[in-house]
Amino acid sequence: MLSAEHALAEADAMLALGRLEGGLSMASPATLRLFALRLLRDMLISALRQEGHGFTDQRFHAWFAGVATLSDEPARTARPPRALCEAILTELTHSSWNALAQAATRFQAALLAPSDGTGNRLAAETAYQDAGAVIAAAHDLLSRLAPSSHPLAALAQLHAAAGDHVLFAPSERAVEPMAMRPDAVGGKRLTVERLALPCPRWALELLWGAQWRKSGLLSHALPFPGLIRLDVLRANTATDFAMLEESPAILATTLRDAAQTLSASLSEADRLAHRLADSQIGQRRSSRAPALLELLAGFGPLRSGQLEGLLDVSRLGLRSMLGTLDTAGLLARTTLSGVHLYATDLSSRGAYEVQDDLASSTFSASALGEYDAAMAEIDALLTKSGVIADDSDREA
């Protein structure tokens, strides 16, 4: 029997997932393109931070553009950052969601980050193969899970399998003896504590959305950054029964937070899509300025060399497009190591703010029907699991 608190957590999680699917089903193509770009960037950043790399978002864009290192002090146990991003981009080019697959394909060539290590080609290839092997292991783990139409049951099954996996189970610090020379420190034997390797849960989060798409819970195979909880993974082998009892509620809260984060990103992409459309940049049919604006608004700051490849334009053509955005007051520019990074500046276009309340937006009858159908499916899942949703939450 579920406690009232646990039941509420499950209801919140299911409603958050339903609202995410409802938003996806009603989003315009422009909104989905912007959302895919943001999700691509966020997945790369999340994976790098899970590996132990410390950096700001601004530093990430500078590193991605090849004008700075990712961190001043690279993490000793982290996988090399460029190889990690290359492996993730390669995997996402095979996504069943076309908008994400296209974005990943385009950004493979836009990754201008410094080579990992000292330029040793063999070491770089080995690092890339290692990251690819982690993703392959995640594929194998997911393929062994029994299909489940209940999101929380599937998530619990995922954590149980990952907690028992030799690669995805959290590592512990290890103490190793180290022999010394007889003439050093009195010939005594010392011990060294080696740092635990980061748990590469990012690979499971990268692929998990495809599982829910197969189950009919999501219309697109979304990466789910932040969905895997290390404390729940550890609970699978722990003797702390209180923690084991709390795990279902923790997973429900985690799913709610992850779904709400994605919904917020989707809502922001929708606001951006409206504002970019209202900017009236590039009225000529042949103009590529709107595509440039979309790239910068979706992914973030990029340098001219990246933009030329992403848009397949010449340097002169790009200069003209940047001039168009600059004249309209939509372009921001920073300079690092003599290289310009371009970004959007929409601060002066407050008149084009779009209300994000669903009730104030205009949707077609078919879109509203799809949303109602998605919510009906969630209601069915809630009824099946014994959780009753409050109608007041539905209207929020």
Side-chain angles (χ1 to χ4, degrees):
M1 184 67 180
L2 295 179
S3 67
E5 183 179 357
H6 186 182
L8 181 59
E10 286 205 0
D12 286 345
M14 302 288 272
L15 288 172
L17 190 62
R19 286 169 176 153
L20 172 61
E21 171 56 17
L24 289 170
S25 66
M26 292 185 293
S28 68
T31 295
L32 289 176
R33 289 195 303 270
L34 285 163
F35 179 53
L37 288 169
R38 292 205 156 203
L39 190 52
L40 174 68
R41 178 199 63 191
D42 292 346
M43 186 66 236
L44 294 175
I45 289 176
S46 177
L48 289 168
R49 286 179 174 156
Q50 284 185 21
E51 282 291 326
H53 297 286
F55 56 91
T56 63
D57 287 359
Q58 293 80 3
R59 186 69 172 260
F60 166 79
H61 286 286
W63 169 80
F64 199 90
V67 297
T69 58
L70 184 61
S71 307
D72 291 329
E73 297 182 5
R76 287 181 292 168
T77 60
R79 290 177 174 83
R82 182 184 171 96
L84 180 62
C85 287
E86 286 177 337
I88 291 174
L89 289 171
T90 298
E91 176 61 33
L92 290 179
T93 62
H94 304 297
S95 173
S96 61
W97 181 21
N98 191 49
L100 186 58
Q102 287 187 351
T105 300
R106 297 170 70 189
F107 272 86
Q108 280 183 308
L111 176 58
L112 303 182
S115 298
D116 297 322
T118 59
N120 186 312
R121 182 175 179 180
L122 180 60
E125 291 178 354
T126 301
Y128 175 78
Q129 291 168 356
D130 173 66
V134 172
I135 295 174
H139 272 294
D140 181 68
L141 184 150
L142 296 181
S143 70
R144 297 173 185 271
L145 298 182
S148 175
S149 60
H150 194 292
L152 290 170
L155 194 55
Q157 187 183 29
L158 169 63
H159 277 74
D164 291 334
H165 195 279
V166 65
L167 179 61
F168 297 109
S171 301
E172 302 294 337
R173 289 175 178 263
V175 177
E176 298 180 3
M178 184 174 66
M180 303 293 292
R181 297 198 321 264
D183 59 338
V185 200
K188 294 182 179 180
R189 182 180 295 271
L190 301 180
T191 58
V192 176
E193 184 179 31
R194 301 196 181 277
L195 296 176
L197 293 174
C199 169
R201 62 191 188 277
W202 53 265
L204 297 171
E205 295 169 351
L206 175 70
L207 304 176
W208 183 245
Q211 295 289 105
W212 276 344
R213 179 179 177 273
K214 292 177 183 177
S215 301
L217 295 171
L218 289 176
S219 53
H220 300 301
L222 307 181
F224 264 81
L227 189 63
I228 306 298
R229 288 287 298 253
L230 291 177
D231 50 356
V232 176
L233 293 182
R234 293 190 181 97
N236 290 318
T237 56
T239 57
D240 186 350
F241 294 102
M243 181 61 197
L244 289 174
E245 291 180 356
E246 293 175 3
S247 292
I250 292 174
L251 291 182
T253 302
T254 301
L255 173 56
R256 179 203 65 192
D257 293 345
Q260 287 180 346
T261 297
L262 290 173
S263 290
S265 181
L266 180 62
S267 296
E268 177 61 20
D270 189 56
R271 284 192 289 270
L272 281 173
H274 281 85
R275 295 182 73 178
L276 299 188
D278 288 339
S279 68
Q280 300 180 350
I281 292 296
Q283 295 300 302
R284 291 182 294 108
R285 183 173 299 180
S286 60
S287 175
R288 302 294 303 280
L292 168 60
L293 193 59
E294 188 174 281
L295 275 175
L296 297 177
F299 189 82
L302 295 163
R303 66 189 292 180
S304 60
Q306 293 171 299
L307 292 168
E308 289 167 17
L310 288 166
L311 297 168
D312 192 22
V313 296
S314 65
R315 182 176 301 180
L316 184 61
L318 177 65
R319 186 180 303 172
S320 175
M321 294 158 60
L322 291 171
T324 299
L325 299 186
D326 195 23
T327 301
L330 297 172
L331 192 67
R333 180 173 61 187
T334 57
T335 304
L336 296 172
S337 302
V339 176
H340 298 315
L341 292 182
Y342 300 97
T344 53
D345 179 6
L346 304 178
S347 60
S348 62
R349 308 198 68 80
Y352 297 119
E353 285 288 347
V354 178
Q355 296 293 327
D356 61 355
D357 186 354
L358 286 175
S360 68
S361 300
T362 302
F363 299 109
S364 66
S366 61
L368 291 172
E370 291 176 1
Y371 179 77
D372 289 338
M375 295 308 300
E377 291 179 5
I378 296 301
D379 286 339
L381 286 172
L382 290 172
T383 302
K384 184 177 179 181
S385 61
V387 179
I388 304 301
D390 187 347
D391 288 339
S392 63
D393 291 337
R394 177 76 54 77
E395 297 171 0

